[in-house]
Amino acid sequence: MIKTMHQSLFIVLDGIDGSGTSTHSNLLAGFLSLKGLKTFLTQEPSSSEIGKLLRTYLKNERIPASTDALLFAADRVLHYKNEIKKKLEDGYIVISDRYIESSIAYQSSQSENISIEWVKNINKFAGKPDLTIILDIDPKFSLARKHQKALDKFEDTSLLEKVRKVYLNRAKNEGYFVINTDDIIELVQAKIQEVVIEKLNQRGIQTKN
Ligand code: TYD
């Protein structure tokens, strides 16, 4: 029996609050679908029961950072095993709006007792992305975009300054692409698409023009 080659790719867009991960994940999914690729868009916290609990905890200052970290990791393993891995096996391009780098950046910034190594360790059961793109913006501008809405506990400029530093350091060490998002949406999206197309080409994944 001839085994068909799967044209799958696991892409993550990550970055501080207000950096545009949701907007750009949506636009990227639309773009890849138009290119004729089977595309699955997902996000974290996921839609699992743990993900729903985490969304309520985003409003709750009294949850310890270690509890957040462990729950995000538990949610991620479920998300990977039950959704992402299955879609990749079915030949989809999976786009996740946030993934492990969110836990590394946010939870290690929340408490001095939480090391990046520990966060990586508790996340070791979640599969690795093929491509991670960090969307970068100064928190002063990113929070200004959100001022009409009630802010979650992580949406605080001084925390986000720390979180941003971790993202940028990780990007340097891990070789992730960093794209500045303080620009016209279409221009930012075009840069993201360029990086993704290059990766698809490297993998020999064909697209419609
Ligand atoms: P966000 O992605 O902004 O969702 P929404 O657009 O619905 O508000 O909110 C998720 C928040 O959770 C964000 O502040 C980052 C935080 N977070 C972590 O701290 N650790 C994680 O592992 C993940 C996935 C998110």
Side-chain angles (χ1 to χ4, degrees):
M1 197 172 71
I2 301 166
K3 221 172 165 221
T4 46
M5 245 223 356
H6 287 316
Q7 305 251 302
S8 65
L9 191 72
F10 180 16
I11 304 168
V12 172
L13 298 194
D14 224 314
I16 64 166
D17 284 277
S19 63
T21 59
S22 303
T23 305
H24 286 292
S25 297
N26 268 296
L27 291 171
L28 181 63
F31 168 75
L32 293 177
S33 299
L34 278 177
K35 287 266 175 201
L37 296 166
K38 290 200 293 183
T39 306
F40 177 67
L41 174 61
T42 185
Q43 62 169 9
E44 291 195 350
S46 82
S47 54
S48 77
E49 293 305 313
I50 303 174
K52 285 180 202 151
L53 180 65
L54 275 164
R55 290 215 175 262
T56 70
Y57 283 2
L58 291 176
K59 307 282 177 206
N60 190 337
E61 300 278 355
R62 288 167 52 205
I63 303 297
S66 53
T67 300
D68 277 336
L70 291 163
L71 286 177
F72 276 119
D75 181 46
R76 185 163 296 122
V77 175
L78 274 182
H79 187 204
Y80 183 76
K81 294 253 154 83
N82 292 350
E83 297 182 68
I84 297 172
K85 187 163 178 273
K86 291 208 168 88
K87 290 294 180 186
L88 291 172
E89 285 168 357
D90 282 348
Y92 278 78
I93 308 290
V94 176
I95 302 167
S96 186
D97 171 2
R98 301 189 174 283
Y99 199 61
I100 298 179
E101 291 304 323
S102 278
S103 283
I104 291 178
Y106 279 85
Q107 275 62 65
S108 78
S109 301
Q110 260 182 294
S111 159
E112 283 175 6
N113 295 324
I114 295 188
S115 70
I116 290 178
E117 276 316 304
W118 179 70
V119 178
K120 273 164 66 179
N121 217 352
I122 58 173
N123 278 279
K124 72 179 178 192
F125 302 105
K128 298 251 177 322
D130 299 303
L131 176 65
T132 299
I133 300 175
I134 305 298
L135 303 185
D136 182 51
I137 189 167
D138 186 321
K140 286 199 274 302
F141 304 133
S142 76
L143 285 188
R145 290 177 177 174
K146 293 208 158 195
H147 266 159
Q148 285 82 338
K149 289 198 270 168
L151 297 181
D152 290 339
K153 66 181 175 187
F154 299 141
E155 295 175 337
D156 160 86
T157 313
S158 63
L159 175 72
L160 290 183
E161 304 272 10
K162 279 202 224 166
V163 175
R164 182 191 193 195
K165 273 198 193 130
V166 183
Y167 272 123
L168 294 178
N169 255 326
R170 290 279 304 158
K172 206 161 86 191
N173 295 338
E174 301 294 318
Y176 300 145
F177 288 91
V178 177
I179 293 179
N180 183 275
T181 58
D182 181 23
D183 205 341
I184 299 162
I185 287 187
E186 288 76 9
L187 293 182
V188 174
Q189 177 61 203
K191 287 186 192 162
I192 295 171
Q193 291 172 4
E194 206 179 302
V195 170
V196 171
I197 291 283
E198 200 189 312
K199 189 77 184 179
L200 292 171
N201 289 340
Q202 271 174 21
R203 288 283 174 106
I205 299 174
Q206 309 280 336
T207 59
K208 279 196 304 202
N209 284 320

